[in-house]
Amino acid sequence: MNKMSCCVVGATGMVGQRFLTLLENHPWFEVVTVAARPRSAGKTYEEAVGGRWKMDTPMPEAVKNIVVMNVNEVEKVASEVDFVFSAVDMTKEEIKKIEEDYAKTETPVVSNNSAHRWTP
């Protein structure tokens, strides 16, 4: 079975870190890129997170050297993947907008946020 390529948006935060540990060695998904706020973009994931890794397990080797993309460059990020996991830490309105922007690219979005919980 071919794995679906995915991106964790909001990857440098605690929820994003958890997504990455859960996706490590996943049988269906392969993390091929990560996205975060502009200040992290252009750095390797390991550089962007620095000493803020909060999980009990070590940072997955497969993501350490991935260059972080800017979460706001929706078209660019979406063009790289089949699937997006959203762990962004923003206001509800910002979350709604960014997740809708990704969905408009016809990229499936799985979110850990409550912003769209009751969206039809």
Side-chain angles (χ1 to χ4, degrees):
M1 174 183 174
N2 290 337
K3 291 186 179 186
M4 293 182 73
S5 61
C6 67
C7 175
V8 175
V9 297
T12 57
M14 191 178 299
V15 175
Q17 292 176 23
R18 183 67 181 136
F19 265 120
L20 291 171
T21 63
L22 293 170
L23 290 165
E24 185 178 22
N25 301 315
H26 197 283
W28 304 333
F29 304 106
E30 179 181 2
V31 177
V32 298
T33 193
V34 294
R37 295 184 190 269
R39 69 174 175 258
S40 296
K43 299 176 183 176
T44 66
Y45 183 74
E46 189 171 34
E47 290 169 338
V49 172
R52 296 179 300 111
W53 183 256
K54 303 291 186 198
M55 301 297 108
D56 292 335
T57 57
M59 183 182 292
E61 288 296 322
V63 299
K64 284 184 177 180
N65 293 315
I66 291 176
V67 175
V68 179
M69 297 182 79
N70 182 339
V71 70
N72 299 314
E73 293 179 352
V74 174
E75 295 282 338
K76 185 175 179 183
V77 174
S79 72
E80 303 274 323
V81 296
D82 300 315
F83 215 91
V84 169
F85 289 96
S86 176
V88 291
D89 182 16
M90 301 172 168
T91 67
K92 275 203 193 293
E93 290 310 309
E94 290 172 319
I95 292 167
K96 281 183 178 183
K97 182 176 180 342
I98 198 83
E99 289 180 354
E100 287 170 5
D101 289 348
Y102 277 95
K104 285 176 186 171
T105 68
E106 298 185 11
T107 304
V109 178
V110 172
S111 179
N112 196 60
N113 294 296
S114 65
H116 280 290
R117 195 157 288 153
W118 301 107
T119 301

